[in-house]
Amino acid sequence: MNFFKRANSLLARKRLSLQRPNVSTVEGIPEVSVPLIKKALTQSSLNIEEGFTCFITKCSICKQGKSEAKARLYVNKTTGMYMCSFCKHAGQWDELVGLLNLSKSKRLKLKEQIDSFPEVKTMSESLEKIRQSTKELKMFDGEELQTTLAKFKFPNLDISLLAALDIRSNEKNTLLYFPLENVENEVVGFRTLHCYSKEETIIPSINCGGILTAHSSRARDTAVLVPNVIDFLVLLKAKLSVHLVCLPDDVNALSQYYLPSFERFKKLVLWLGVDSKARDSARDFARKLDEKRCHLVRPNELLPHLNPNQDFKSIVANAQVLWHQSITSFSSLRSGVLSDLQNVDKVQGVKWKKFPTLNKIMLGHRRGELTVLTGSTGCGKTTFMSEYSLDLAMQGVNTLWGSFEIRNTRLARTMLQQMAGFPLAENLDKFDQVADVFEKLPIYFMTFHGPQKIKDVMEAVEHAAYAHDIVHVIIDNIQFMMGMSEEPKHMDRFWKQDAIIAAFRTFATRRNCHVTLVIHPRKEREDEDLTISSIFGSAKASQESDNIIIIQDKRLTSVKGKKYLQVVKNRYSGDLGVMPLVFDKKALSYAQKRAKERENNTPTVTDNNIEDVEDQKLE
């Protein structure tokens, strides 16, 4: 079971194990707008303060009595998600509307139950348990402190700096607990770091919105955001006149639960690294945090821990403003171009582990592109796409699946079996082990099934991109949106398809998110190869796409016919080519086998048992 060790190790390095919700669904998203939020709060006689990302008002649950000064409710301007800094109650916009409409008597009754709220009770019990079982680093003697810091490969720090942070350690000094503060500077959780595995977790939950921060008495309203604890400590040792914040999940995602904790800062300096993923994340995070207050450290500056002798004060002072990106000059692009040349491999995109031939042709999976996949009915488009996207998700690519033809339970079952590499129905004792690993992957599913309106789908996609930092969207397939278009009835299907493709093309560019669209081909003769012109609809799909991939299935016209993947358009490098597809029935996998696996007679499907394969495919 080496797979599970590798997968868990990868996930531990890539993200906090409790950072994102487990594999979840994107439900029907209620329509929320700034005027709508203002109107609802005003009608409830609540005074509104407009922050950078949230509206701030008094909590409708605990606004009366002694708690009034602390009961501040933060309502996200984009999604309507709310969070109270006092009673720790959080939820979606429709829930808040229900609370606002409660009668005074019911609201008072609910207020009396605050201490028994699961959020408050869980947080209090968890924090108390940690304090009783751990020891503050400031209580260590000099030798014990240096030994502990050496285990984690931390820089030597003054006791006074550690005392201000209230860092704690377990009995064996192998697990450190960093306090997380909410917007009111109240400790609401701990971020743990293990000295050997480097695994990080959030205790008790991300919902409390706590962030690891260090306050400077000389700083006013500026904070520097870094991706990990070691960078945080290096800057802490430098004693800059700024507040320091360690991002909760490296550069992978920034949950909306954390946004209220950033409201106290008027200027944010993002120092996330030099590679392309870090720069993409910096721009995504800036859009969430309000670009007007965000500055970006020049992309050619190394992270603090990679060069601890840098002039940190000068680097922070020279951070570039992110606002007004529509107009720029080469002088502002120069360092970014140099960084791209120095990191060519990373700029090419995320590489597939299971499809090395695809890497040679397409070089990688890049953000901001639009890919079209087509193939004849029953050729296995959905099966291939599930493995294609699973491969990327296991490398930290936040993925949103929109499967209108195949139900989510069936799609998830296929992905589980592809990840495990063996029939789960025959190995039910291993289901929990596989499911636990799969649950940690950043994969989300839209709950739509059957024909859908493009407006509803785009609302869900936009919400997921904001709330879950999605960087790969799969739509299988767009024909299911063409019959529910809100366009005039006289508009034909070609025009409707063009409108759908235009919407996803705009989304991919604006959100810097990769979109993969599955499109059925036109009806053609079975003995003819599919081409770019075989894609159903007008030429817009082929014109707007960056990549076009066709699954060619010759098994229907020849006894010895093969199935292969053909890249017929590649805007990034221009390289075209084919990749043989051999289906492994037991694993439901198209993964290319290595030489050693072939020598060991790894089970694969051949032409002799092709009829059995057809029963296993999704399409």
Side-chain angles (χ1 to χ4, degrees):
M1 305 299 291
N2 291 333
F3 160 76
F4 297 105
K5 293 181 180 179
R6 293 196 303 271
N8 277 311
S9 175
L10 174 65
L11 290 165
R13 294 196 303 271
K14 288 284 185 183
R15 66 187 62 81
L16 305 179
S17 62
L18 294 181
Q19 167 60 33
R20 296 192 187 89
N22 293 334
V23 178
S24 61
T25 57
V26 177
E27 305 288 349
I29 307 302
E31 186 174 351
V32 181
S33 64
V34 168
L36 179 66
I37 296 173
K38 282 185 175 180
K39 181 179 179 181
L41 297 177
T42 303
Q43 288 178 344
S44 298
S45 302
L46 294 172
N47 294 324
I48 305 171
E49 174 187 346
E50 186 166 354
F52 296 102
T53 62
C54 304
F55 289 113
I56 307 168
T57 185
K58 293 180 180 179
C59 180
S60 60
I61 301 174
C62 54
K63 67 177 182 179
Q64 297 92 355
K66 296 181 181 179
S67 62
E68 183 174 358
K70 294 183 178 180
R72 291 164 63 83
L73 188 75
Y74 294 82
V75 183
N76 189 285
K77 292 180 181 179
T78 303
T79 65
M81 190 278 295
Y82 71 94
M83 175 189 294
C84 176
S85 61
F86 183 74
C87 65
K88 309 299 182 296
H89 206 60
Q92 301 305 317
W93 171 246
D94 53 353
E95 298 173 18
L96 178 59
V97 172
L99 291 173
L100 294 175
N101 293 329
L102 286 177
S103 64
K104 185 176 180 180
S105 59
K106 290 183 178 180
R107 191 177 294 148
L108 287 172
K109 185 176 180 180
L110 187 60
K111 173 183 173 292
E112 295 173 356
Q113 302 173 354
I114 288 177
D115 291 337
S116 62
F117 279 3
E119 297 91 341
V120 177
K121 187 175 181 181
T122 300
M123 185 187 74
S124 301
E125 291 177 351
S126 299
L127 297 184
E128 184 59 29
K129 184 177 180 180
I130 290 171
R131 291 190 179 102
Q132 291 180 359
S133 61
T134 58
K135 180 181 177 182
E136 296 178 86
L137 285 191
K138 63 183 179 182
M139 305 300 294
F140 286 18
D141 58 38
E143 183 178 351
E144 186 180 14
L145 177 62
Q146 296 306 323
T147 302
T148 302
L149 295 179
K151 281 184 182 180
F152 290 85
K153 298 182 180 179
F154 286 165
N156 293 328
L157 298 173
D158 297 335
I159 291 292
S160 60
L161 296 176
L162 297 176
L165 281 180
D166 190 27
I167 303 174
R168 311 180 77 89
S169 175
N170 66 348
E171 186 177 352
K172 296 181 180 179
N173 295 337
T174 57
L175 192 66
L176 292 184
Y177 294 80
F178 294 85
L180 303 177
E181 296 181 354
N182 67 359
V183 66
E184 308 295 347
N185 296 326
E186 174 191 8
V187 175
V188 292
F190 285 92
R191 175 176 180 158
T192 67
L193 175 65
H194 198 280
C195 66
Y196 299 123
S197 67
K198 303 303 179 184
E199 182 177 356
E200 302 181 24
T201 58
I202 296 292
I203 301 174
S205 168
I206 68 170
N207 295 14
C208 294
I211 56 176
L212 173 58
T213 183
H215 302 287
S216 171
S217 58
R218 295 174 292 173
R220 292 186 178 180
D221 48 22
T222 299
V224 177
L225 281 56
V226 291
N228 52 60
V229 171
I230 185 66
D231 288 315
F232 176 84
L233 294 177
V234 170
L235 290 184
L236 182 66
K237 185 179 180 181
K239 299 181 180 179
L240 301 177
S241 298
V242 294
H243 302 288
L244 301 176
V245 175
C246 181
L247 289 172
D249 189 17
D250 205 296
V251 297
N252 296 303
L254 181 63
S255 170
Q256 57 183 329
Y257 285 106
Y258 296 107
L259 299 186
S261 295
F262 290 95
E263 287 291 342
R264 68 192 104 168
F265 307 120
K266 292 184 179 179
K267 179 180 178 181
L268 299 175
V269 178
L270 282 67
W271 194 346
L272 306 187
V274 301
D275 60 51
S276 58
K277 181 176 182 180
R279 297 204 310 276
D280 289 337
S281 295
R283 292 183 175 86
D284 290 344
F285 294 174
R287 280 192 285 268
K288 276 190 175 182
L289 294 166
D290 187 352
E291 288 176 310
K292 293 182 181 179
R293 62 168 171 164
C294 291
H295 293 64
L296 181 64
V297 168
R298 290 178 300 180
N300 59 335
E301 302 288 357
L302 296 174
L303 285 170
H305 78 277
L306 298 175
N307 186 4
N309 298 317
Q310 300 176 82
D311 184 355
F312 297 133
K313 183 177 180 180
S314 175
I315 291 173
V316 171
N318 293 323
Q320 301 170 343
V321 181
L322 278 173
W323 184 238
H324 289 313
Q325 296 183 71
S326 334
I327 303 174
T328 187
S329 63
F330 180 71
S331 60
S332 60
L333 298 173
R334 181 170 178 166
S335 58
V337 173
L338 176 61
S339 177
D340 285 352
L341 293 173
Q342 293 171 334
N343 300 274
V344 172
D345 190 56
K346 292 182 179 179
V347 172
Q348 290 174 349
V350 179
K351 302 296 189 293
W352 289 272
K353 300 291 185 183
K354 296 183 177 182
F355 306 109
T357 301
L358 207 56
N359 290 327
K360 293 178 182 178
I361 302 171
M362 301 182 67
L363 301 183
H365 182 270
R366 292 166 293 276
R367 298 178 60 159
E369 293 189 354
L370 178 68
T371 295
V372 169
L373 174 71
T374 191
S376 58
T377 301
C379 70
K381 294 187 294 294
T382 303
T383 307
F384 172 76
M385 273 310 307
S386 69
E387 186 168 27
Y388 172 101
S389 62
L390 175 65
D391 189 326
L392 297 169
M394 292 180 65
Q395 299 175 70
V397 176
N398 298 5
T399 302
L400 175 67
W401 253 96
S403 177
F404 306 117
E405 191 172 8
I406 304 298
R407 293 194 178 276
N408 288 331
T409 50
R410 193 176 179 189
L411 176 61
R413 184 184 68 187
T414 298
M415 298 178 82
L416 271 175
Q417 189 150 326
Q418 288 172 335
M419 188 182 72
F422 53 80
L424 286 173
E426 301 173 12
N427 297 271
L428 292 179
D429 58 315
K430 296 183 174 64
F431 173 79
D432 288 335
Q433 187 179 9
V434 179
D436 287 344
V437 176
F438 188 77
E439 241 181 346
K440 296 177 183 178
L441 294 175
I443 301 176
Y444 303 85
F445 300 95
M446 285 189 276
T447 55
F448 300 127
H449 186 72
Q452 302 296 327
K453 295 179 181 179
I454 179 62
K455 179 178 179 292
D456 295 337
V457 175
M458 292 310 301
E459 282 181 359
V461 170
E462 290 280 1
H463 175 86
Y466 178 88
H468 304 299
D469 297 288
I470 298 298
V471 296
H472 186 200
V473 175
I474 301 114
I475 301 296
D476 182 16
N477 58 68
I478 71 167
Q479 270 85 353
F480 277 85
M481 285 183 282
M482 291 165 59
M484 295 288 290
S485 174
E486 295 179 338
E487 301 294 339
K489 292 182 179 180
H490 67 270
M491 184 176 288
D492 64 25
R493 291 173 64 84
F494 292 159
W495 283 99
K496 291 178 182 179
Q497 179 172 310
D498 285 355
I500 294 170
I501 291 172
F504 280 110
R505 172 73 269 180
T506 302
F507 167 81
T509 303
R510 179 169 49 83
R511 283 285 189 178
N512 195 26
C513 178
H514 193 114
V515 176
T516 301
L517 302 178
V518 178
I519 304 178
H520 285 314
R522 298 198 317 257
K523 298 295 183 182
E524 301 214 2
R525 291 176 52 184
E526 292 184 352
D527 59 342
E528 292 182 353
D529 285 348
L530 296 176
T531 65
I532 290 181
S533 60
S534 301
I535 299 174
F536 181 87
S538 68
K540 191 172 185 67
S542 58
Q543 292 170 348
E544 295 285 354
S545 61
D546 297 284
N547 313 291
I548 297 179
I549 303 174
I550 300 175
I551 296 181
Q552 302 281 11
D553 193 352
K554 295 301 179 184
R555 301 168 305 162
L556 303 177
T557 57
S558 173
V559 176
K560 295 184 178 180
K562 303 292 183 181
K563 182 160 63 172
Y564 58 90
L565 197 75
Q566 184 178 13
V567 178
V568 295
K569 182 178 181 181
N570 178 3
R571 185 171 282 165
Y572 182 79
S573 66
D575 295 332
L576 308 177
V578 299
M579 181 183 80
L581 291 177
V582 180
F583 190 69
D584 184 342
K585 177 181 176 180
K586 292 186 176 181
L588 298 182
S589 171
Y590 288 108
Q592 294 177 271
K593 305 299 180 182
R594 298 176 182 176
K596 288 185 178 180
E597 292 175 318
R598 288 193 294 267
E599 291 173 3
N600 293 332
N601 295 320
T602 302
T604 56
V605 172
T606 63
D607 299 314
N608 295 329
N609 54 7
I610 198 67
E611 293 181 357
D612 295 332
V613 177
E614 293 297 322
D615 294 334
Q616 293 292 325
K617 291 190 302 182
L618 288 178
E619 297 183 9

